[in-house]
Amino acid sequence: MKHLLLTLIAVISMMTCGATETIVIMTQDTPLKDQWWFTTGSSGTSLRENDIKNNWNYDRYITSAAWTSNGWFMVMSKGVTWTNQSYKLSSSWPESFIREKRGLGYYITSLTARNSQWLVVMSQGTGYSDQQVCSAPWSTLKDWIKGWWDKGYYITGICCQNSLWTVVMSYGSGVKYTAQAYMWATTSSSIGEKIKSKWDEGYLITAMNHGDGEFFCVMSKYPGSSAALQSYKINTDFKDFVTKKTDEGYLISYVGG
């Protein structure tokens, strides 16, 4: 059985929720393949919609998206079960878009925000049968998460906007996790120590962001996760890291900011 690769490369400064960094999680032995990614520049004025549509034509779907220090960071991959996908970039929470798509069998598969915008990606064919979303101070979210964990739901999306964290929890056969935990830290070294401890227990990072002065990291177990290799980098300069890890057989499993 392989051991988890303990590659902790993190350079980050303290920041508020409105500031951004670039967090890249890379993992071996995932279903993802034939991956393509891009950033749009720090102005964030464009999502490069033509590039997204062209990748959809090649059966690549948005598997992770984030607002980062490099602008919008979009990762598109083959290897997912999804059959259709749609997204909404909005200056407010896109409630009507989400309600309309839910009626057509879509569920949220990526979620991110900047100070003035939300980006919500929804997909069909996820295997989810229900989904719950809450945006609130942590004092409220802590009990809310536990309540849905107790009902068999798992965290599948997180983001921070204006000091409020939004958490998406999903239920159904599309959720492959068998256990889940989350952790907070105010420094990169502190979050690294907590990640290493959970790696040693067979957990993998499934979401990580920084907002309101703290890291929020979600780690999950699922069948075979103890045999996977995982690495991450928190830095505005991430391209060499992605190139090196891709050559070693890793793919981007999550991006955060």
Side-chain angles (χ1 to χ4, degrees):
M1 181 178 293
K2 299 177 182 177
H3 294 289
L4 293 172
L5 181 65
L6 305 182
T7 305
L8 303 178
I9 310 171
V11 180
I12 193 165
S13 60
M14 295 305 295
M15 54 191 170
T16 66
C17 195
T20 52
E21 272 286 353
T22 301
I23 301 171
V24 182
I25 314 297
M26 299 194 70
T27 309
Q28 280 189 344
D29 300 331
T30 74
L32 303 179
K33 58 183 179 180
D34 193 14
Q35 195 168 75
W36 190 88
W37 61 268
F38 65 86
T39 58
T40 64
S42 58
S43 66
T45 56
S46 170
L47 283 177
R48 288 171 57 175
E49 294 185 335
N50 286 337
D51 286 333
I52 293 173
K53 291 176 182 177
N54 288 338
N55 276 278
W56 278 344
N57 290 336
Y58 285 97
D59 292 324
R60 293 188 191 96
Y61 293 89
I62 299 168
T63 48
S64 193
W67 172 251
T68 73
S69 56
N70 292 276
W72 298 112
F73 193 146
M74 310 293 288
V75 182
M76 302 190 70
S77 314
K78 292 183 179 180
V80 293
T81 61
W82 309 336
T83 55
N84 286 293
Q85 192 170 69
S86 184
Y87 62 85
K88 181 72 172 180
L89 183 62
S90 174
S91 59
S92 59
W93 177 252
E95 181 66 33
S96 60
F97 166 78
I98 293 171
R99 188 181 305 110
E100 175 191 351
K101 292 300 179 182
R102 279 289 300 272
L104 298 173
Y106 288 73
Y107 290 88
I108 297 171
T109 49
S110 288
L111 171 73
T112 188
R114 57 188 301 211
N115 281 345
S116 59
Q117 289 180 307
W118 290 91
L119 175 63
V120 176
V121 182
M122 300 187 70
S123 307
Q124 281 183 326
T126 61
Y128 299 157
S129 58
D130 192 35
Q131 200 164 63
Q132 302 292 327
V133 183
C134 185
S135 181
W138 183 246
S139 58
T140 300
L141 279 172
K142 183 178 180 180
D143 290 338
W144 182 84
I145 290 170
K146 184 182 184 305
W148 289 107
W149 269 348
D150 291 344
K151 296 177 182 179
Y153 288 67
Y154 290 92
I155 299 169
T156 55
I158 61 172
C159 76
C160 181
Q161 186 190 57
N162 300 327
S163 300
L164 292 180
W165 284 93
T166 298
V167 176
V168 179
M169 300 189 71
S170 304
Y171 180 87
S173 61
V175 182
K176 305 301 182 183
Y177 310 140
T178 59
Q180 194 168 67
Y182 60 77
M183 59 212 69
W184 293 90
T186 56
T187 66
S188 58
S189 59
S190 294
I191 199 68
E193 291 172 1
K194 293 179 179 181
I195 288 170
K196 180 183 180 300
S197 177
K198 283 298 179 184
W199 270 348
D200 291 344
E201 295 175 19
Y203 286 78
L204 293 175
I205 303 166
T206 49
M208 182 161 65
N209 280 281
H210 188 277
D212 202 28
E214 291 189 283
F215 291 96
F216 180 24
C217 181
V218 180
M219 299 188 71
S220 309
K221 269 188 178 181
Y222 47 88
S225 65
S226 61
L229 299 180
Q230 191 171 64
S231 184
Y232 72 86
K233 184 163 187 174
I234 306 171
N235 201 316
T236 57
D237 183 14
F238 64 92
K239 294 181 182 179
D240 289 346
F241 167 76
V242 171
T243 299
K244 179 177 183 293
K245 289 301 173 186
T246 300
D247 290 343
E248 295 173 2
Y250 291 71
L251 289 176
I252 299 172
S253 55
Y254 186 85
V255 291

